[in-house]
Amino acid sequence: MTGQPKVTVVTPVFNGARFLGEAVESVLAQTYSNWNYIIADNCSTDGTLAVAERLAARDRRIQVVRTAPHLPLMQNWNRALGLIPPDTTFTKELHADDILMPNCLAEMVALLEEFPTAAIAGSYILYGTRVRHLGVPLGCRLLNGHDVIRRTLLGDWYLFGSPSSIMVRTSFARGIGGSYYDERLHHADVDACYRLLDRHDFGFVHQVLSATRTHPDSITSTFTASYNTIALEHFCFLKRYGPKYLDERTFRREYRTARRRYRRQFVRRLLGGSGASCWRLHRSHLARFGYRLGAADAVMGALAEIGLSIADTRHAVRSMRTVARLVLGDPDRGIAQRNPRPDHPTPRQ
C-alpha cells in the first residue's frame, strides 16, 4: 500500500441480499490494495446484514454499519457518504446489485492521479449485455467539465451512468457545499455530477470497469420506469443548467424540443394508467424548477401521442376521453380512478 492513495468504497443497501455477495466479491478481487469498504445497511429485512457480516469476516478492510432509522433513497445515500473517513482520497460508490471489474480501482485512481483537475473518473460500463458510454474519442482521457455538461444537456453524451460506474475525488465532492445528493431529486447523482463539473474536469478510462445489473426488482425497472423520472428530470436539468451552459438560441431550441418530448412521454404514463400519483409527482417536482404543469401540457402531449397512433382508432378514442377529463375537470379526479397510488411515491433503498 506504500504510496497508494486511500479509496473508500461504500455500498448503501436495503434488502440487497440476493446480489450483495457478488458486489463484495468484486471489491475483494481488486488489484488495487489500499481500500476500505463500508456497507451501510438501511434496516434491511431480507438477510442483507447476515450476508454482509459473513463477508466482512473475510477481510478487516470491510466495515458493516447497521444504520437506523430506515431512510428514503437519497437520504440514505447521503447518510452512507457521511461514514467515509476523513483521510479518504477517492470515493467509489457501489450499488449492491452492481459489480466492479478487477482493475477498476487501479485504473480510476491512476487516471485521477494523472489529472489533478479531474473531479470524476468514468469509463465504459457493461449495462446488462451492452457496453455503454461510447462516444468519447479514443485517446481523449481528460474532458473539460463545462463541455461535458453542455454535451450531456444536448443529448450527445451520457457518461455518468450510475454512482457505481464513476469514482469521485473526495475533497472536490466535499467542496461543492451542502449535501452531496440533493434529496429533493430522484436522479440526484446526475445533479451532483453537474455541480462537480461546474468547477472541475472529467477523466475517462477507455475500458469496461463496472457492470450494472438489470433485473425486474431494480429501482430503474420499478419506480423509474413507472413514473418516467428520467424524462422528468432531464427536462428539469435543462431548465436549471441550460441557460448557463448553452447560448440563448440553442437553449430556446432545446427547451422547446425537450418540453415537447417530455409532454408526450408524460402523457404516455397517464394514458398507460400510472394514476393520480404520477400527476402529483411530476407537478410538484416541476414546481421546484419554476414550471407549472397544467392541463395544457397534458392536452399538447396527448395530441402528439394521438398523432403518432392515429391509425389505432380505439387508442385515439381512449386518449381523447382521458384528455377531456383532464381539461374539463380536476386533473387529479380525472385520472384517480385508473390506478390509485400513494400521493408521493418514493424509491426505497
Side-chain angles (χ1 to χ4, degrees):
M1 297 185 186
T2 303
Q4 287 187 338
K6 182 176 181 179
V7 176
T8 294
V9 183
V10 59
T11 295
V13 57
F14 172 69
N15 285 354
R18 180 182 174 191
F19 300 118
L20 179 61
E22 292 180 60
V24 177
E25 292 286 357
S26 76
V27 176
L28 290 169
Q30 291 299 301
T31 60
Y32 192 85
S33 57
N34 191 15
W35 54 262
N36 69 300
Y37 187 12
I38 300 171
I39 303 173
D41 178 37
N42 189 20
C43 301
S44 296
T45 59
D46 69 340
T48 292
L49 185 62
V51 172
E53 290 178 339
R54 173 174 54 81
L55 292 164
R58 292 173 47 186
D59 195 304
R60 61 182 178 82
R61 293 172 292 179
I62 303 176
Q63 176 188 6
V64 180
V65 179
R66 174 74 165 178
T67 56
H70 177 85
L71 293 179
L73 183 70
M74 290 303 166
Q75 293 180 39
N76 183 43
W77 286 10
N78 275 329
R79 180 171 61 183
L81 292 178
L83 301 172
I84 294 174
D87 61 342
T88 297
T89 305
F90 303 118
T91 298
K92 183 75 183 75
E93 287 189 64
L94 174 62
H95 291 172
D97 50 0
D98 298 335
I99 62 172
L100 306 180
M101 302 307 173
N103 61 331
C104 178
L105 299 187
E107 293 291 343
M108 289 188 167
V109 167
L111 182 84
L112 291 172
E113 285 283 274
E114 181 179 354
F115 300 111
T117 63
I120 306 171
S123 71
Y124 304 133
I125 67 168
L126 186 64
Y127 189 86
T129 59
R130 301 180 62 183
V131 175
R132 292 193 174 181
H133 297 184
L134 304 175
V136 178
L138 289 175
C140 183
R141 303 177 65 231
L142 183 67
L143 306 168
N144 177 273
H146 288 195
D147 288 342
V148 174
I149 295 175
R150 187 178 302 110
R151 297 191 66 169
T152 303
L153 292 172
L154 292 174
D156 297 336
W157 283 343
Y158 184 69
L159 305 179
F160 308 146
S162 75
S164 295
S165 61
I166 63 173
M167 178 181 285
V168 176
R169 192 181 302 272
T170 309
S171 61
F172 288 178
R174 288 171 173 161
I176 61 176
S179 298
Y180 182 72
Y181 291 124
D182 184 341
E183 295 171 1
R184 301 169 298 174
L185 302 175
H186 300 293
H187 299 277
D189 53 318
V190 179
D191 180 71
C193 288
Y194 283 152
R195 288 154 60 207
L196 280 170
L197 295 176
D198 180 59
R199 306 181 184 183
H200 310 288
D201 295 327
F202 186 94
F204 193 82
V205 181
H206 292 268
Q207 298 183 46
V208 176
L209 297 182
S210 64
T212 295
R213 190 190 304 272
T214 57
H215 59 91
D217 297 325
S218 70
I219 292 171
T220 300
S221 300
T222 54
F223 179 83
T224 300
S226 295
Y227 293 95
N228 201 3
T229 55
I230 293 177
L232 168 64
E233 291 202 342
H234 174 72
F235 179 53
C236 292
F237 291 148
L238 180 64
K239 186 173 176 58
R240 170 178 285 180
Y241 294 106
K244 180 173 182 178
Y245 297 104
L246 304 176
D247 64 76
E248 184 177 354
R249 181 179 179 183
T250 302
F251 172 70
R252 288 200 304 266
R253 182 193 69 217
E254 292 298 318
Y255 182 79
R256 288 194 298 268
T257 301
R259 183 174 60 181
R260 187 163 55 245
R261 184 186 304 116
Y262 164 72
R263 284 169 167 170
R264 188 173 68 247
Q265 293 176 345
F266 169 60
V267 163
R268 284 180 185 174
R269 292 300 183 273
L270 297 184
L271 298 179
S274 287
S277 60
C278 182
W279 176 277
R280 294 189 188 102
L281 183 149
H282 281 244
R283 185 172 58 184
S284 63
H285 202 73
L286 285 166
R288 299 186 188 120
F289 290 81
Y291 186 92
R292 181 175 175 80
L293 181 68
D297 294 287
V299 171
M300 296 301 294
L303 290 175
E305 188 69 5
I306 292 169
L308 292 174
S309 57
I310 196 67
D312 185 344
T313 305
R314 287 179 299 176
H315 177 79
V317 170
R318 288 195 301 269
S319 300
M320 291 173 68
R321 287 175 178 169
T322 302
V323 171
R325 285 196 296 269
L326 288 168
V327 175
L328 300 177
D330 179 2
D332 293 342
R333 188 168 61 248
I335 59 177
Q337 300 303 316
R338 296 177 58 81
N339 186 17
R341 296 176 185 234
D343 283 356
H344 298 287
T346 303
R348 291 162 61 95
Q349 176 167 315

